[in-house]
Amino acid sequence: MLKEIDKLAWLYVKDKQVLMARSKGKDIYYLPGGKREVGESDKEALVREIHEELSVELTPDSIEYFNTFKAQADGKAEGVIVKMTCYQAEYTGKIVAASEIEEVTWLNYKDKHKGSAATKLILEHLKKNDWID
């Protein structure tokens, strides 16, 4: 049986680049976000995770579903899939790496080799739809 890791992600595109985060001790970039805690809605979990990782507050009323992507999970056994449910949202505050996040950066399509398998799928989708360069 295939195992699926269910994650929520914040897709923030600005100036044709995507906001990405890298965890401490890792060399691969991901969309910021994480897993729901018991009883949390997608919006509640996303607001909490983004605040923990990037020190900003997502504006709950602006959170909109974007798309869901599935790919091989990095560092996991073959066949373990990560499901990334991506949302767009506005925010308040200054983006600063916090908690387990070591670096925050902006990537575009030419940087796709720096990302996880799911990140590559997302960047390909954004490039195809002319959201990023």
Side-chain angles (χ1 to χ4, degrees), residues 8-110:
L8 304 167
W10 180 35
L11 175 67
Y12 190 70
V13 178
K14 180 178 160 190
D15 300 326
K16 294 231 174 191
Q17 295 188 309
V18 184
L19 181 70
M20 295 282 178
R22 183 176 56 78
S23 297
K24 290 177 179 157
K26 306 272 184 176
D27 56 3
I28 292 177
Y29 291 89
Y30 303 87
L31 288 180
K35 298 175 187 166
R36 278 176 221 82
E37 290 182 353
V38 176
E40 276 185 322
S41 69
D42 282 11
K43 284 185 179 184
E44 290 167 338
L46 195 61
V47 167
R48 177 186 50 75
E49 284 284 348
I50 297 307
H51 180 72
E52 287 173 8
E53 292 184 356
L54 304 179
S55 305
V56 296
E57 297 294 333
L58 294 185
T59 308
D61 291 347
S62 74
I63 298 173
E64 288 187 15
Y65 173 76
F66 177 76
N67 207 335
T68 300
F69 300 88
K70 291 184 180 185
Q72 169 66 37
D74 286 304
K76 303 292 182 188
E78 188 66 31
V80 176
I81 302 299
V82 63
K83 178 177 93 172
M84 299 278 287
T85 304
C86 300
Y87 291 88
Q88 294 182 286
E90 296 301 315
Y91 72 94
T92 56
K94 183 177 188 307
I95 294 172
V96 179
S99 186
E100 75 268 16
I101 302 302
E102 186 166 8
E103 181 188 5
V104 177
T105 192
W106 296 91
L107 300 181
N108 59 30
Y109 187 72
K110 72 174 171 36

